[in-house]
Amino acid sequence: MKEFLTEKRLNKFKTVAKARQHTLHLVLENVHDPHNVSAVLRTCDAAGIPAVSLLYYLEKFPRIGKKSSASAVKWIEKEKFTDIKLCYNNLREKGFKIYATSLTEGSISLYDVNFIYKCAVVLGNEHRGVSDEAADLADEKIYIPMFGMVQSLNISVAAAVIIYEALRQRLAKGMYDESTLSKKELDSLIDKWCRK
């Protein structure tokens, strides 16, 4: 398939694939509004996050439109789960440490989290936030410092704040310069993208 791409397009694929952060992952738990999910996927793509876990057991899995996600849905892998423990077990088997967003006692500021290690961040429903079970089963609970009357951010804004703090830390460590994938894995990813 590569022979059908322009050199410019192929170089874009190579650059983006090389910068993908396979050690950074996002979990969305019962996020109701598909526009919010789409906005989060756009941010994930922009920050080089290659995959997102969609954890839905109260809400229906969202229908994500290409238009509202600016086609980011096409470039982000989506793993579907209907059980918190199965989702977390899957992540832990891959070596991820799990951080759940929670405004509860014992939560630490996201600015005190070291995001350069293999980690997954769990964000919850627009109204309920992360469930108690998802928070309790996580390795750590984190929060975004806020100083207004309303202790709440839109889910897509909260995701962007956290993702870009992780990006800032990883950028400072040069983690966007070299891929964690082998050449064979990179070629396979680019071939997959060429077929999209």
Side-chain angles (χ1 to χ4, degrees), residues 71-133:
S71 296
V73 65
K74 183 176 178 179
W75 308 109
I76 302 293
E77 298 296 324
K78 292 157 294 297
E79 304 170 337
K80 293 183 177 182
F81 294 92
T82 56
D83 182 271
I84 295 167
K85 288 180 181 175
L86 285 176
C87 178
Y88 281 18
N89 287 344
N90 178 267
L91 289 167
R92 287 191 171 111
E93 283 170 9
K94 296 175 184 175
F96 285 94
K97 182 173 183 177
I98 300 169
Y99 295 100
T101 53
S102 178
L103 284 171
T104 55
E105 192 175 337
S107 295
I108 60 172
S109 166
L110 82 106
Y111 299 110
D112 293 326
V113 176
N114 190 338
F115 288 109
I116 66 167
Y117 298 105
K118 200 168 192 178
C119 60
V121 177
V122 185
L123 293 129
N125 179 276
E126 294 89 339
H127 306 293
R128 300 181 298 270
V130 169
S131 69
D132 290 342
E133 184 181 7

Side-chain angles (χ1 to χ4, degrees), residues 50-186:
V52 172
S53 293
L54 301 174
L55 174 57
Y56 284 74
Y57 51 88
L58 295 175
E59 307 283 341
K60 291 181 179 177
F61 281 104
R63 290 177 58 88
I64 307 162
K66 286 184 182 178
K67 187 175 180 183
S68 60
S69 71
S71 296
V73 65
K74 183 176 178 179
W75 308 109
I76 302 293
E77 298 296 324
K78 292 157 294 297
E79 304 170 337
K80 293 183 177 182
F81 294 92
T82 56
D83 182 271
I84 295 167
K85 288 180 181 175
L86 285 176
C87 178
Y88 281 18
N89 287 344
N90 178 267
L91 289 167
R92 287 191 171 111
E93 283 170 9
K94 296 175 184 175
F96 285 94
K97 182 173 183 177
I98 300 169
Y99 295 100
T101 53
S102 178
L103 284 171
T104 55
E105 192 175 337
S107 295
I108 60 172
S109 166
L110 82 106
Y111 299 110
D112 293 326
V113 176
N114 190 338
F115 288 109
I116 66 167
Y117 298 105
K118 200 168 192 178
C119 60
V121 177
V122 185
L123 293 129
N125 179 276
E126 294 89 339
H127 306 293
R128 300 181 298 270
V130 169
S131 69
D132 290 342
E133 184 181 7
D136 292 341
L137 291 175
D139 297 302
E140 294 228 42
K141 292 181 270 191
I142 64 172
Y143 70 93
I144 300 171
M146 288 177 263
F147 302 96
M149 296 295 287
V150 180
Q151 290 289 297
S152 174
L153 292 173
N154 175 281
I155 177 71
S156 63
V157 174
V161 168
I162 295 167
I163 289 167
Y164 269 79
E165 171 58 16
L167 180 149
R168 184 193 67 79
Q169 292 183 20
R170 287 164 172 256
L171 206 54
K173 291 287 185 181
M175 294 176 72
Y176 284 86
D177 298 330
E178 292 300 325
S179 178
T180 55
L181 298 181
S182 67
K183 185 181 183 310
K184 184 178 179 181
E185 289 169 326
L186 269 176

